[in-house]
Amino acid sequence: MGATPPAEDERLRRWRMVLGADSADGTGHEVTGRDAAMDGALTALYGGGPKPGGRGGAERSAGLGASAPSVARWLGDIRTYFPASVVQVMQRDAIDRLGLATLLLEPEMLEAVEPDVHLVGTLLSLGKAMPETTKETARAVVRKVVEDLERRLATRTRATLTGALDRSVRSRRPRHRDIDWDRTIRANLRNYVSLPGGEGAGTVVPERLVGYGRTDRSVKKDVILCVDQSGSMAASVVHAAVFGAVLASMRTLSTRLVVFDTAVVDLTDQLDDPVDVLFGTRLGGGTDINRALAYCQSRITRPADTVVVLISDLHEGGIRDEMVGRAAAMKASGVQFVTLLALSDEGTPSYDREHAAALGALGAPVFACTPDLFPEIMAAAIEQRPLPVPDPGR
């Protein structure tokens, strides 16, 4: 028999890596070198075989051993062999499947991990269990994630909302440089006049000009972010803290950040540093949305110029009818009320469909939102136009 063609050999190699050690006999392909190291790292988490820090075994069961140094070596290995996006998934699986959260209380472990939003959520959930020797390392991990998010989201958010704030203040007698030509043309389409001498030639007579209001430094809109800090909302809490800090940096917005479980905490005075905000949260516990909305309602002084964004999966532990009633009262007073079931890059979240339907029946948008879409959502709310709600069928 001749040698296996390169394409066929690569196909067998890939199947061997997919099937793993216990199921690979049929491929006839032996893994060596880098492939063997990758296979070992995957097997330690998802299959049987030798476990870091432990002895090899015939039973097919995942495990990384109980030794923190061996886990730290495994974390270093996967960062060597896999891209960051895959490393983050494997870390998350190791924490969820093998109960490694407590090992993150050790500084050397935190230094070995790839920081991401889900890791931040895990660290925050550990809360007071975290020893003093680990807190500084944990803050450094959280700060890296926060700074990465700010670099990705801040510039676009400020630009989008600055434009929306300027457009939300209209002038009927604008200067030439302040004319909003798109809206002016649409407002005067009924004044279309055909010109003589050409088929289809004509012009729009702008009897009414629509212009942008002149920019000033006064506060134009109030924004209240009301964020559920129950354990399932960890990624949303991280993104909300970053967006809260970005919004608070804009002089024409007055931003308030409120987090809640069964208690309500106003973290507005910490918005200059989202890391402080995150360490001021307490992930886990129950949920009392009604109490949180009551607090937000008490802080509204300009309903027509206020946007309230409730970020929650709506699993209410408080008084459901009062919760819906408060949302209805805010909308009736002129508040732009929006519910985000999640503010994260995850798929469709788990949420209370009955409560979502009740809020939706009020005419208040209810949907999940990715961080990239959030600036457009806020811009639409500020301008009091229909929100670009994602199509759930996509």
Side-chain angles (χ1 to χ4, degrees):
M1 294 178 64
T4 305
E8 178 66 12
D9 188 64
E10 175 62 14
R11 187 178 72 85
L12 291 174
R13 169 186 169 272
R14 288 175 177 269
W15 270 113
R16 168 63 181 78
M17 296 298 292
V18 170
L19 293 171
D22 293 344
S23 306
D25 294 342
T27 66
H29 186 92
E30 181 180 356
V31 294
T32 58
R34 186 181 179 88
D35 282 355
M38 292 173 64
D39 187 68
L42 291 167
T43 300
L45 177 58
Y46 299 111
K51 306 176 179 67
R55 301 175 180 175
E59 294 182 6
R60 184 173 181 80
S61 60
L64 296 175
S67 166
S70 67
V71 177
R73 285 195 298 273
W74 179 82
L75 288 168
D77 288 346
I78 64 174
R79 292 173 73 174
T80 300
Y81 301 127
F82 303 100
S85 58
V86 175
V87 169
Q88 291 169 5
V89 172
M90 293 179 72
Q91 285 179 172
R92 198 181 319 160
D93 286 348
I95 291 168
D96 293 343
R97 291 161 58 100
L98 306 178
L100 298 185
T102 54
L103 287 177
L104 295 177
L105 299 177
E106 302 183 28
E108 61 271 22
M109 284 291 297
L110 284 177
E111 291 169 358
V113 296
E114 183 75 24
D116 73 333
V117 169
H118 296 280
L119 178 63
V120 170
T122 300
L123 292 176
L124 297 178
S125 69
L126 294 174
K128 295 181 179 179
M130 189 176 295
E132 290 297 325
T133 55
T134 306
K135 286 184 178 178
E136 286 306 310
T137 308
R139 286 186 71 88
V141 170
V142 172
R143 187 167 297 282
K144 183 179 187 304
V145 173
V146 165
E147 289 175 351
D148 287 346
L149 287 174
E150 285 185 310
R151 277 193 292 271
R152 179 164 69 91
L153 302 170
T155 300
R156 180 160 162 259
T157 299
R158 291 191 186 100
T160 301
L161 297 191
T162 297
L165 287 162
D166 289 346
R167 290 190 296 272
S168 69
V169 181
R170 299 291 170 185
S171 172
R172 295 298 180 88
R173 299 179 63 183
R175 296 182 179 187
H176 184 271
R177 65 184 180 185
D178 294 331
I179 295 174
D180 182 342
W181 287 109
D182 181 60
R183 288 177 179 261
T184 294
I185 291 171
R186 281 188 284 160
N188 290 277
L189 286 176
R190 65 178 181 277
N191 301 322
Y192 179 84
V193 176
S194 298
L195 297 178
E199 294 185 5
T203 187
V204 172
V205 179
E207 291 182 354
R208 181 169 70 88
L209 298 177
V210 179
Y212 305 127
R214 298 186 66 186
T215 302
D216 57 45
R217 294 188 177 184
S218 62
V219 173
K220 295 176 181 177
K221 294 287 181 180
D222 298 332
V223 174
I224 301 177
L225 301 180
C226 184
V227 187
D228 184 344
Q229 61 177 351
S230 59
S232 60
M233 300 296 294
S236 298
V237 171
V238 176
H239 287 111
V242 172
F243 278 118
V246 173
L247 299 182
S249 71
M250 301 178 65
R251 294 184 179 182
T252 49
L253 284 177
S254 174
T255 304
R256 183 177 294 275
L257 177 65
V258 176
V259 299
F260 67 92
D261 42 34
T262 53
V264 179
V265 181
D266 193 326
L267 297 176
T268 303
D269 62 350
Q270 298 180 39
L271 277 175
D272 58 331
D273 188 348
V275 176
D276 286 342
V277 168
L278 289 172
F279 277 94
T281 63
R282 184 183 62 187
L283 289 179
T287 308
D288 193 337
I289 304 172
N290 176 54
R291 175 177 289 186
L293 291 184
Y295 177 83
C296 294
Q297 192 176 23
S298 72
R299 294 300 184 268
I300 296 173
T301 58
R302 305 188 304 156
D305 292 314
T306 298
V307 179
V308 174
V309 182
L310 171 64
I311 304 175
S312 173
D313 55 16
L314 301 180
H315 290 294
E316 171 66 317
I319 306 173
R320 183 258 192 188
D321 290 341
E322 286 191 15
M323 174 192 78
V324 176
R326 290 189 192 282
M330 282 189 267
K331 276 196 59 66
S333 69
V335 170
Q336 293 290 105
F337 190 92
V338 181
T339 300
L340 301 183
L341 302 168
L343 178 56
S344 70
D345 288 310
E346 302 303 305
T348 303
S350 170
Y351 64 95
D352 189 302
R353 296 180 181 276
E354 182 180 349
H355 292 163
L359 291 174
L362 301 175
V366 182
F367 57 97
C369 175
T370 63
D372 287 337
L373 183 62
F374 186 76
E376 281 71 26
I377 296 296
M378 291 302 301
I382 285 170
E383 293 184 75
Q384 298 185 353
R385 56 182 170 82
L387 272 59
V389 177
D391 181 359
R394 292 182 180 178

